Every structure is written in structure tokens, then in C-alpha cells.
Amino acid sequence: MIKESSCTTILVGKKASLNGSTLIARNEDGGDRPDPQRFVVVSPEDQPSSYKTFKGNITIELPECPGSYTSTPEADVEHNGLFAGSGINQWNVAMSATETITTNPRVLAADPYVPGSIVEADMVTLVLPYIHSAKEGVLRMGELLEEYGTYEANGMAFSDSEEIWYMETYGGHHWAAIRIPDECYVVAPNRLNIDQFDFESDQVLYCTDLQAFIEENQLNPDSEGLNLRHTLGSDDYKDVQYNNPRTWYVQKHFSDLSRPYTEACPFVDDPAYPDQPFLCYPKRKLSVEDIKWALSSHYEGTVYDIYGKMGTEEEKHRYRAIGLNRNMEVHCLEIRPQLPTGLQGVHWLAFASNAYNCLLPFYSYVKDTPASWRDTPISYNPNYMYWLVQTMAVIGDRDYSLYGTLQNEFEKSVMAKLRRMQVEIDQEVKSMTDQEAIKEKLTVANQTMADFLLQASQKQLGQLVEVASTKMDLRFNLKD
């Protein structure tokens, strides 16, 4: 399987978030056909001692003593590869991998991709079980890239209770990463996203020869400074239609536009503009709900909304939206420093199209995951969460002005209930000290929340079917 270049990433520093947590979130997107996903816990005994890359050319020996971690793999691992996607490990370090990004022919001429090497399908499994901080995640991933190489360009995020790091790969072996300032947020589509970069800063990491690589191959097109997006990325018609507008839409809603992070990269109110800033100050503190709204968005309130009534047909299809049928899963990995260790990691998760799903706050310090999320079958079965949401999306897409309203009310109501359940669970577990008892308690709590959401979603599907039945074209108004 070849994944579509479709994901969207949002990162929120601890001083930019509503409750002081670090937040790293991403839509994992694929093609137009359904691509069922799973949610699992990988225990140390299930982690392999050696790992063969997805394309099978390289076997990598793994460190001893891995930790347990949550993971969002493919349902069809045999054909698609593992694609673990995201997770939080037992040390409350989170990883989201990856955001497919872009490069240019000059970079690939100087450092070609390495066939059969490390790719997105491999990265979480190779890194997350072994790291104890976000920075350590960057360094381990960097060592693997320099030794084994990659055959695609990717961006990935790492977080712990204090820091968020965003990392990008360039060509076969090169990479750089930047620590996201605590007061800032980031929205990153499928392009190279890091802009201004200072090799002398203590807030960046990079492969040892990156500076020489850029200079020796004459890659920097700017007269002054270094902008990695200009130097190592692309700027073509696909960015104009596919990538830049997603950044524009979220920044237009979230950013304090009077406060650019650097004077070199101010916000420009133009969906096609290629140089929207990477680091942004939000106009208010951001919540999980804000992130979910952004990752479900389809240019609401503009002429570019496919479901809207303002634009022409050409305008409605001009730009690629963030929330769409390609959404396979969305995660928001929250690390809450104000709580005891066992409660810090929350793996917020939803499956299928974001316009029709609802995030569930799964605790990560658990022994297992609910079967309706863990055992997703490859073939259609609405008793599992992925397929249930996909069914609602197919019905809802027929008339979004009607079904979208029902879905929005449903999501708000369900989120309020799940939030209340989480508050009560936090209070019950705070005073517990036995780690095995905490794991057991949180495992049961996850099951309780999953059961609630499954039943609520089944009821919502029934309501959609009932409403849809009255709107069928195959009907006649004269009754017997």
C-alpha cells in the first residue's frame, strides 16, 4: 500500500494550552476507500528484539528493556504494514509519526532516498518503546536515519510533560528538529514546515553534517538567513492547492495576528500564500476541543467549503480540506503534568471521517484496550467503532446542512459526558499508590467510556437512518 500524502498536524505548547498540558495531534489520512484502524497496547513481551523494515531490506536489532505503549496500527497489517501511527509510552512520552512532507530535486540529487530502508510504517515501533523524553525521541530517530536512511520525507512530533519537539527528514539521511516554544502552537500540512532555523540555537537539533550539506550543495536560495522550507522543501502547484490553504485556515482562526513570531514570517490572508509562519502565538489558550474542530474543518464560513452555499462549484473544489473522507483516525496525545504519573498520559482518539466522529480520552497507562477499538476487522462490521463512524459519515455526507447539525449536537453532548467521566476517574485514582491497581482501574475506565460511546453512536446512527428515510428520493407524497 502507498499512503496518500494527506495528514495534518497540530502542536500546542504547555503555556498555549488551556490546562497546561502539552498537546500533539494529527489526522492520519489515507486514500478514498475505507482503511480500518485499531487501538492497542503493546506490552514489553510483545515488542520484537529485532525488526524488519516494512519493505524488508533491513533488519534492525532493538535495545533491551522496552516499555509498554499505546499504538494505532492498521487493521490490515499483512498488506499495509504496521503503521503504528501514534502512541504514549509508560514513561509518558508521546510520539506521532508521521506527517508526509515534501522536498525538491536538488536535495534528492545530493542525498537520494534509500530503497527498502526506514519509513513511516516502521518509526513508532523503532523509537517509542525506548525513549524517556521528547528530546531523546528526536535523537534516537536521528541516529536511525543517519545509519539506515529513509526513502520518503516525513515530519514527526515528540512530547513529554515539559516539551514538544517537531522533527523533519530531508533526503535519504538528513534531518533537523526544533523545540516548540511553550507559548506557541503549530499547524503543519503535507509540506516541509520548519522555516527560520538557527544552527547556533540551543532550541534545535540536527544531523552533524546538515550545515555542510546545505552549503556544499548550494541549496539555500535566500540572500540572508536560513529558511529550511525554502532550502529543502517545495513550492509548487500542489502546495498551493493542497497544503498552504490548510495552514491559512487554522492560523486565521487561532493566531494572534498582531503578534508574529518573527518579522520574517507574518501571517498573510491568502490561502495560497506559501510562507505562512511555522511558529504562531494563539489569540487564546487552546483546548482539545479546539484541535478537534480544526482537524475536522472543511473551510466552514468561506467560499471553499464543499458543504457550504456561498461558493461556486469551482471554488468549493479548489482547495483540499483538513476533515474529509480520507481521515482514518485522529489522535491528540495529551501529557498532563499536574497529575500523578499514571494519570498524565491521555490518548484522545477517534476513527474515520472527523466530521462525523467524537474523540474519546483513553488513558494510556493501561493493560489492554476495548475490543470495539482493538479488534477492528478488515471487512465491514458496524459493531466496531471504525466501521460505525464510517457508516454515519456516508449517510451524513448526503445532506450536511441537515445531518451535520445533528452530528455537531451529538458531539458536544457526548464530549461533555466523556469529560465528566474523566473528571470522576481522575478523582478516584489520584490517591491510589499501587501501580498494578491503577492500571487495572484505568483499563476498566477505558472500557466504560468506550461502551458509552459505542452505544451512543449506535443510537445516533439510528437517528440518522430515521431522518434519512424521510428524505429519500424514491418516495411518493400521495398516501394510501
Side-chain angles (χ1 to χ4, degrees):
M1 175 186 177
I2 299 176
K3 291 265 185 176
E4 301 287 340
S5 300
S6 304
C7 305
T8 307
T9 294
I10 294 179
L11 315 173
V12 181
K14 62 182 181 181
K15 293 183 180 179
S17 72
L18 188 59
N19 66 351
S21 299
T22 56
L23 298 167
I24 62 174
R26 181 169 61 90
N27 282 352
E28 185 179 1
D29 297 342
D32 288 335
R33 296 183 64 84
D35 192 349
Q37 304 293 295
R38 302 169 58 223
F39 177 53
V40 304
V41 173
V42 182
S43 61
E45 56 267 25
D46 294 329
Q47 179 73 358
S49 58
S50 63
Y51 180 87
K52 193 174 185 180
T53 56
F54 175 43
K55 295 300 183 181
N57 288 13
I58 296 173
T59 298
I60 300 173
E61 297 302 316
L62 299 176
E64 297 179 354
C65 302
S68 64
Y69 60 102
T70 57
S71 171
T72 51
E74 297 282 314
D76 191 0
V77 174
E78 181 180 355
H79 294 97
N80 297 345
L82 190 59
F83 280 98
S86 64
I88 302 174
N89 71 21
Q90 70 181 64
W91 302 291
N92 290 316
V93 181
M95 178 180 180
S96 179
T98 70
E99 183 74 30
T100 304
I101 61 172
T102 55
T103 188
N104 62 63
R106 298 179 299 279
V107 172
L108 294 179
D111 182 16
Y113 291 141
V114 182
S117 56
I118 297 170
V119 289
E120 176 181 3
D122 310 315
M123 290 179 175
V124 169
T125 306
L126 290 173
V127 175
L128 185 57
Y130 310 103
I131 57 176
H132 296 78
S133 71
K135 187 175 182 179
E136 190 177 329
V138 173
L139 295 173
R140 172 160 174 77
M141 189 74 254
E143 289 175 0
L144 291 167
L145 290 168
E146 291 180 54
E147 181 173 358
Y148 298 103
T150 183
Y151 66 94
E152 60 186 11
N154 283 307
M156 62 206 81
F158 300 89
S159 65
D160 53 39
S161 62
E162 296 297 322
E163 296 185 330
I164 297 173
W165 284 82
Y166 178 75
M167 179 181 189
E168 293 180 329
T169 70
Y170 315 122
H173 303 85
H174 291 82
W175 61 272
I178 184 168
R179 183 188 183 279
I180 306 305
D182 296 339
E183 303 85 359
C184 289
Y185 85 96
V186 164
V187 54
N190 300 115
R191 65 178 187 192
L192 198 154
N193 289 288
I194 299 175
D195 48 22
Q196 305 301 311
F197 195 82
D198 180 4
F199 284 109
E200 301 302 318
S201 171
D202 62 0
Q203 303 297 295
V204 302
L205 296 167
Y206 49 89
C207 58
T208 54
D209 67 333
L210 182 61
Q211 190 168 11
F213 174 74
I214 292 171
E215 292 173 355
E216 290 171 4
N217 292 285
Q218 299 176 307
L219 298 174
N220 186 358
D222 295 333
S223 299
E224 297 181 2
L226 174 63
N227 183 312
L228 291 187
R229 193 185 305 164
H230 294 171
T231 301
L232 304 173
S234 63
D235 183 13
D236 56 29
Y237 76 95
K238 186 172 182 179
D239 292 312
V240 169
Q241 294 179 308
Y242 197 85
N243 293 320
N244 303 338
R246 284 182 271 165
T247 302
W248 163 79
Y249 187 71
V250 178
Q251 290 186 2
K252 186 177 177 68
H253 281 81
F254 284 175
S255 289
D256 180 350
L257 301 180
S258 67
R259 191 184 177 197
Y261 187 77
T262 66
E263 294 300 325
C265 296
F267 174 81
V268 175
D269 195 5
D270 176 1
Y273 184 66
D275 284 332
Q276 303 293 9
F278 174 64
L279 300 173
C280 302
Y281 292 107
K283 59 187 175 185
R284 56 181 172 80
K285 292 185 177 182
L286 300 174
S287 67
V288 171
E289 287 84 352
D290 291 322
I291 292 174
K292 174 58 165 62
W293 172 84
L295 292 178
S296 303
S297 64
H298 37 86
Y299 302 114
E300 294 95 315
T302 76
V303 296
Y304 311 116
D305 183 4
I306 191 70
Y307 286 143
K309 300 185 183 299
M310 293 189 292
T312 64
E313 285 304 302
E314 186 280 328
E315 287 171 326
K316 290 180 180 182
H317 292 86
R318 184 179 300 176
Y319 298 132
R320 188 269 205 212
I322 296 175
L324 73 177
N325 67 325
R326 292 183 183 180
N327 303 146
M328 301 184 300
E329 59 96 358
V330 56
H331 54 266
C332 182
L333 309 180
E334 179 181 24
I335 311 297
R336 306 183 294 173
Q338 70 275 19
L339 292 173
T341 300
L343 290 170
Q344 286 186 6
V346 180
H347 191 140
W348 293 85
L349 184 64
F351 285 156
S353 178
N354 288 353
Y356 304 94
N357 62 22
C358 181
L359 283 172
L360 193 155
F362 285 112
Y363 292 95
S364 63
Y365 193 63
V366 292
K367 296 180 176 181
D368 202 355
T369 54
S372 58
W373 296 72
R374 182 193 64 220
D375 300 333
T376 309
I378 298 171
S379 300
Y380 179 78
N381 186 333
N383 293 313
Y384 293 86
M385 202 66 209
Y386 175 88
W387 289 111
L388 178 57
V389 174
Q390 192 71 11
T391 304
M392 291 193 288
V394 170
I395 294 173
D397 187 69
R398 187 174 183 271
D399 184 353
Y400 185 78
S401 62
L402 173 62
Y403 305 119
T405 300
L406 296 175
Q407 173 59 27
N408 290 336
E409 292 303 314
F410 169 74
E411 184 173 6
K412 287 189 291 186
S413 174
V414 167
M415 179 62 86
K417 177 64 175 177
L418 289 170
R419 282 278 196 186
R420 183 61 203 167
M421 295 169 76
Q422 185 187 38
V423 168
E424 293 172 352
I425 295 162
D426 285 350
Q427 291 300 321
E428 291 175 15
V429 175
K430 272 182 181 180
S431 59
M432 295 175 62
T433 56
D434 184 304
Q435 295 305 304
E436 283 303 305
I438 291 173
K439 273 192 176 184
E440 185 64 39
K441 179 77 172 178
L442 296 179
T443 301
V444 172
N446 281 356
Q447 183 68 58
T448 300
M449 290 189 290
D451 289 344
F452 162 74
L453 182 57
L454 182 68
Q455 293 164 12
S457 298
Q458 289 170 336
K459 184 177 180 180
Q460 173 72 356
L461 173 60
Q463 184 178 3
L464 294 181
V465 170
E466 290 178 7
V467 172
S469 297
T470 68
K471 303 295 181 181
M472 290 176 65
D473 291 330
L474 188 61
R475 60 179 173 157
F476 196 75
N477 290 331
L478 181 64
K479 296 182 180 179
D480 291 338

